[in-house]
Amino acid sequence: AKQTGFTIVELLIVIVVIAILASISIVAYNGIQNRAADSSVQSDLKNIGNKIRQNGILDKPYPTNRGDFVTAIEGMTVNKNSYGAHYTPTSPNGEYNLLFCFYTPSSGSSDVDIRLVAASKSGKVFQYDTADGAGVKEYAGNMVTNTTLCPARANYTPVRVWIYSGSTWPTGI
């Protein structure tokens, strides 16, 4: 009697084709997740930057610590799951992300520049900078130190505040 069915070679070909399709789907899914995280971080930076600029126009003080920052952006939240690739200094211990800087003029002018820098889960670093036209763009460097992310500027005194600090987000953000 003749038996009918699939040969081992036919079964292996089907398994290989399914594996290839699954791997393509996983790669595409990860790419979509990374783009979503990038968009979320960019949106957060723009919204936070605009809110702080608005507060400055209303003569509210600029934040100088994490608590002031949370108060300044009251009612706003960030998508914490979109942030990643945190800067980890040797001292103090912990991870850091979402750096807020503002530059006050040393003398004469009342112009204040704002900069926000954050790393997305994808590993890309983004910045919002009023000195560059208040848009969000990809940062050309890595999350290295707060002095490279918010460098000193001539005739300006920088204030630097890590928002995600010591591996924790502040309450209310």
Side-chain angles (χ1 to χ4, degrees), residues 11-105:
L11 290 174
L12 286 174
I13 290 173
V14 169
I15 291 170
V16 167
V17 168
I18 290 172
I20 289 170
L21 292 174
S23 65
I24 290 170
S25 297
I26 290 170
V27 169
Y29 179 73
N30 287 337
I32 290 168
Q33 280 188 317
N34 287 339
R35 285 193 303 276
D38 292 348
S39 294
S40 180
V41 169
Q42 290 176 37
S43 176
D44 287 347
L45 293 180
K46 183 176 181 181
N47 291 335
I48 290 169
N50 288 340
K51 175 73 172 179
I52 291 173
R53 287 177 67 204
Q54 180 184 30
N55 288 347
I57 291 169
L58 298 173
D59 290 329
K60 294 182 181 179
Y62 288 96
T64 57
N65 58 51
R66 289 173 79 196
D68 290 347
F69 184 87
V70 172
T71 301
I73 65 164
E74 186 176 352
M76 296 180 71
T77 58
V78 298
N79 185 355
K80 299 170 190 160
N81 293 329
S82 295
Y83 292 79
H86 308 296
Y87 160 61
T88 307
T90 55
S91 177
N93 293 327
E95 294 182 330
Y96 295 78
N97 202 338
L98 188 51
L99 178 64
F100 167 70
C101 309
F102 77 92
Y103 297 89
T104 56

